[in-house]
Structures are given as C-alpha cells and as structure tokens.
Amino acid sequence: MEWPSSYLDEYEKLIMRLSPPSVRKHGTLLEAIQILTDLDLTIKKTYISSDGQWFMAVFHVTDLDGNKLTDKRVINYIEQGLTTLELTGTDRVGLLTEVFEVLSDLQVNVVESKVWTHNGRIASLVYVKDCDSGFPIQDEVKIDMIETQLRNVLKGDTDIRSVKTLVSLKVTHTERRLHQMMFADRDYEQKPIIRTNWDSPIVLIQNCLERGYSGINVYCEDRARLLFDVVCTLTDMDYVVFHATLKTKGDRAHMEFFVRHKNGLPISSQAEKQFVSVCLHAAIERRAFEGVRLELCVEDRPGLLAKVMRTFREYSLNVVRAEISTTCDIARNSFYVTDAVGNAADTKMIESVRQKIGLSNLRVKEMPSIYHYKVERKDDPPSTIISGAFLTSLGNLVTRNSRGAFLISLGNLVTRNLRYLGLLIRSYSGTIKRKIVLA
C-alpha cells in the first residue's frame, strides 16, 4: 500500500517524538494519541509500556468507517491567522443563538468552532476573523466590545460568578483545550443528568503496592476519540501512564492503565480515587450523546450561523454540541440537538427545520436507537460485563506476574475487588429491575 505523503509526515513526527532521550517527558503519550486522533483514525486496540528510559506504544487503527487507511484527507488546522474566543458558563436553551447573533452584529466571521455541554455547563472555542479585512481581530477596542457583549450573553439573568471569556491569538489544540476548560469549570461536580440506559462508564481503581502503581480499569461504550479523552484528562491531572491496554469488542471498550502521579506516588487515598473516578466519568461523557446529529453543508455567507441557530430555537430544538468549520467558502457544520428539556427531539420538528433551512442543505446523519427501539440486553447484563471484564483483567495480571513484570499481592487484590464487585452487582441488579423498556 502506498502511504499518502501527509500521513508519512505525521508518522515521521510521531517517531521523532517517541525516540530517546525525550521519550519520558510528561505528555508524550497524549501527543502520540493526539496525532492519530487529528488524522481521524479510530483506535481499536492499544498496548503501551513505559519504564526506564523507553516508551513503547502499539496502535491498531482504522479510518472512521472501520476500513484500512486509504483516505488521503487529513484535518487541516486553520487556527493560525485566527482570533480565538474561549467561552464557559451555564448552558441554557438558545444560548448559542445569542452568541452567534452577537458575533454577526459585530461583523465577526466565525471560521471554525466547537461547542461542548455537560452537566449544565457549556464550553466553546470559536475561531474568528474580521468580516471586513479577513484578518485576525487585533483592535483592542473591538476585542473589549466582543468580550463585554459575550459576557453579558453568557451570564444572562442568573450566572454571574462563573462566566469566563477570553480573546487571544494563541494556537491551541481545540479538543484538549475544551477538556481543560470543562475541568477548570468543575463540570464533574455538577448535578449529573439521569440517563435512560445503563451505559454510564464504570471506573475501578486499585493500587499495586509492590510496584508503586495504581491500576485504573475503565469499562464503557466504545466510540471515536475515547482513548484521547481519557489520556488527556489523566495527563492534565498530572498522572503518568506507564503501562496500558485498550481492547474493543462490538460496541464495548475496556481500558486498563497503570499510573503514578507526576511526583512518583500512586493514588494514595480513597478521596483521591473518588476524584479521579468522577473526572474520568466526566471526560468520557462530555462527548457522549443520544440526540440527533444534523449536518449542514451550504455556501458560507455573513450571518449564516446566526440564522440557522435562530431557526433551531424557533422550533424548540436545543443544540447541545456543535462542530463548525468553513473550507473554500463552504460551511460544513454538525449540530447535535435535543428538545428544550434534553429529551429526544420530535421528528416532525426536525423535518420542519429541514424544510425551512433546505432539505438538501440540512441532513439527518445519525438517529439514536431511542427513535427506533431500546430493548433490555438480557444476554449481556451490566453485572456480567463488569465481572467478566474484571476477572479477565485479573487473569492478565496473573499472567504478567508469572513473567515477573508485575509483583503484586494478588490475594489482597482479589479480596478487595470482589468485595467492591459484589456491591456493584447488587446495585446494578436493582437498576435492572427498575429499568424501563421503550417500545
């Protein structure tokens, strides 16, 4: 197979980053995963090991459709030459409409943007240019005006303390920055949204005392960019991943990490374990979504985003995530929508919006299973997944012990985890009895 030159360039960069003596710097693993993620590659399996002065990582990847790598497209970063707007605050219906209307009124052209919402919070990176000049916005008076008006929009009538806005010319990695903004906004401690299924992530943490590691097992629904989200959060929390595996089967993923804090210590207390657990839950769930994905592809023009968002609001559709880009004067935007209270959007409303915007311009790209059916997976209940995957993990640890790679007190590990596992199974058994099956 002949590799596209763009992939070879990134591969060479990856090799350079993984070669001694710089391999042990904090964040090397995240840089490697970040390159694969930016190339729109799906990581199916991973084996990672880092001890002494060496770092080794093996990635099994496909394109987004699960095929071998034949697509020559590579995401083109357009952050250079753009002004960056960072926005965080309390989410509410119609907030994005107001944000984009303000930018349109101020003659600011949105070139690219990503918006995440989680647990009632919103974080957004918006890359803009001046409509008249086509250059980055450097006029301090205009920048102050943008910040002031956006801050007023974000705080609304209630949110005054936690609103944050920042205008800069700094080049940043969009999705990592979104994680950092959400983490700084403490979205992990907000009141969680009750989900209608049992697919919430499960995080188990144990210490391997003899080796000084903490073992983190994560079981969740598989999706694109999952490994990036988890490693990004661990890295920004100052944990170093020494060994890791990722395995996927069907729509399930099992990740196992052996980590230490950057100061060389394992996760030392129950409070720290709980903090790591809730932060990893938040990192995984920020990108998870059960609504409808709509894709807009149309010739770009001033005020387009504001008009589209206004139409969504008129039909009581709430945009909970958005990915906006402009290439060669063509707007290619993805919107993830629910109804006003976060439930599944009415299909008639969606069709009415499409009629108004243009059926060929706005298309439904993904309808979640809740629109078709949601049945109890009796052959694969939660307790079976947890116990089976966890015992497999223990089996792997036993195998590695026999090779001398990990010397841990297996008896204590089994005892502690089976006790914890029993609590989980009893909890999930009660959940299964109360489960509502949607027709």
Side-chain angles (χ1 to χ4, degrees):
M1 168 182 160
E2 183 178 353
W3 288 81
S5 59
S6 55
Y7 280 108
L8 290 177
D9 292 342
E10 294 299 335
Y11 178 75
E12 289 170 358
K13 293 177 186 176
L14 179 61
I15 293 300
M16 291 175 62
R17 291 177 181 178
L18 298 186
S19 60
S22 62
V23 293
R24 288 304 310 276
K25 73 174 184 179
H26 186 56
T28 298
L29 173 60
L30 179 58
E31 289 181 11
I33 297 173
Q34 189 168 290
I35 291 173
L36 300 177
T37 301
D38 292 343
L39 293 173
D40 264 353
L41 303 181
T42 299
I43 301 172
K44 307 301 291 186
K45 290 183 180 180
T46 301
Y47 305 94
I48 298 163
S49 184
S50 174
D51 262 328
Q53 295 300 315
W54 291 94
F55 175 92
M56 185 276 290
V58 179
F59 300 94
H60 296 256
V61 300
T62 66
D63 64 17
L64 290 179
D65 296 321
N67 302 317
K68 293 183 179 180
L69 304 183
T70 58
D71 190 348
K72 296 184 180 181
R73 294 174 304 164
V74 178
I75 295 178
N76 294 317
Y77 284 105
I78 54 177
E79 296 168 343
Q80 293 186 355
L82 299 177
T83 304
T84 306
L85 310 180
E86 295 187 1
L87 313 173
T88 57
T90 300
D91 187 29
R92 67 176 186 273
V93 177
L95 176 59
L96 287 178
T97 305
E98 298 175 37
V99 167
F100 290 125
E101 284 182 343
V102 165
L103 295 177
S104 178
D105 292 342
L106 292 174
Q107 296 298 299
V108 174
N109 183 33
V110 177
V111 180
E112 183 181 359
S113 177
K114 284 198 176 181
V115 181
W116 287 0
T117 63
H118 180 243
N119 282 351
R121 308 302 297 171
I122 185 171
S124 176
L125 281 173
V126 188
Y127 301 100
V128 300
K129 288 184 178 181
D130 184 82
C131 281
D132 295 330
S133 66
F135 291 106
I137 302 169
Q138 296 179 318
D139 185 334
E140 292 186 3
V141 174
K142 188 165 186 175
I143 288 175
D144 288 342
M145 188 180 300
I146 292 172
E147 282 196 285
T148 300
Q149 293 200 26
L150 288 179
R151 191 177 296 113
N152 290 336
V153 167
L154 286 167
K155 73 181 182 182
D157 298 327
T158 57
D159 194 346
I160 299 176
R161 179 185 58 83
S162 59
V163 166
K164 295 179 183 177
T165 61
L166 176 66
V167 180
S168 72
L169 295 175
K170 182 180 178 181
V171 176
T172 184
H173 185 274
T174 303
E175 295 188 343
R176 183 175 186 188
R177 185 62 188 141
L178 284 170
H179 275 298
Q180 292 170 337
M181 291 164 64
M182 280 288 197
F183 182 80
D185 199 37
R186 305 171 74 93
D187 71 315
Y188 50 82
E189 65 180 18
Q190 304 297 324
K191 184 177 180 180
I193 297 174
I194 300 175
R195 304 183 66 183
T196 57
N197 58 32
W198 51 262
D199 281 336
S200 294
I202 297 168
V203 180
L204 303 177
I205 302 175
Q206 281 292 342
N207 284 340
C208 307
L209 299 178
E210 285 77 4
R211 292 290 293 180
Y213 294 126
S214 291
I216 302 176
N217 278 269
V218 181
Y219 311 92
C220 62
E221 186 176 358
D222 188 29
R223 58 165 174 77
R225 302 173 185 256
L226 175 63
L227 184 61
F228 170 82
D229 293 339
V230 173
V231 174
C232 182
T233 298
L234 289 173
T235 302
D236 287 334
M237 292 178 71
D238 287 334
Y239 291 101
V240 180
V241 178
F242 286 85
H243 305 277
T245 60
L246 163 67
K247 296 180 181 179
T248 61
K249 184 177 181 181
D251 63 347
R252 311 303 300 172
H254 170 209
M255 293 174 285
E256 185 177 39
F257 303 92
F258 291 89
V259 306
R260 293 181 188 140
H261 196 271
K262 197 164 66 171
N263 61 14
L265 299 177
I267 300 174
S268 57
S269 66
Q270 190 61 38
E272 187 180 1
K273 288 180 182 179
Q274 180 65 22
F275 182 60
V276 172
S277 178
V278 297
C279 289
L280 290 180
H281 272 84
I284 294 169
E285 292 179 341
R286 284 170 194 148
R287 208 191 293 262
F289 179 65
E290 294 182 345
V292 179
R293 179 162 68 98
L294 303 174
E295 284 198 357
L296 176 72
C297 183
V298 67
E299 184 177 351
D300 192 30
R301 60 183 183 274
L304 173 65
L305 262 178
K307 182 179 180 180
V308 170
M309 299 300 295
R310 195 181 308 119
T311 303
F312 286 149
R313 184 170 63 177
E314 289 173 358
Y315 286 88
S316 301
L317 293 181
N318 187 35
V319 178
V320 296
R321 219 175 88 208
E323 298 174 3
I324 296 162
S325 64
T326 306
T327 305
C328 299
D329 295 326
I330 299 297
R332 301 180 185 277
N333 307 332
S334 293
F335 303 99
Y336 300 75
V337 301
T338 66
D339 68 8
V341 294
N343 296 324
D346 185 82
T347 54
K348 293 181 179 179
M349 289 294 186
I350 292 174
E351 287 306 304
S352 296
V353 170
R354 293 186 62 220
Q355 289 281 354
K356 187 166 184 177
I357 296 177
L359 293 176
S360 60
N361 296 333
L362 186 66
R363 300 186 178 184
V364 177
K365 298 298 292 185
E366 185 177 348
M367 295 284 282
S369 58
I370 193 170
Y371 286 89
H372 307 298
Y373 61 90
K374 184 170 288 189
V375 297
E376 181 71 35
R377 292 161 64 173
K378 296 181 180 179
D379 59 330
D380 203 10
S383 57
T384 304
I385 291 177
I386 301 169
S387 58
F390 190 77
L391 291 176
T392 300
S393 176
L394 289 179
N396 291 337
L397 287 176
V398 173
T399 303
R400 286 198 289 268
N401 278 328
S402 66
R403 295 198 299 266
F406 292 94
L407 300 175
I408 63 173
S409 178
L410 186 60
N412 292 335
L413 182 62
V414 172
T415 302
R416 286 194 299 268
N417 280 287
L418 287 180
R419 187 183 302 118
Y420 182 50
L421 182 61
L423 295 175
L424 284 174
I425 292 174
R426 287 196 295 273
S427 174
Y428 273 102
S429 297
T431 302
I432 293 173
K433 293 177 182 178
R434 296 191 299 271
K435 194 158 194 62
I436 299 174
V437 179
L438 301 180

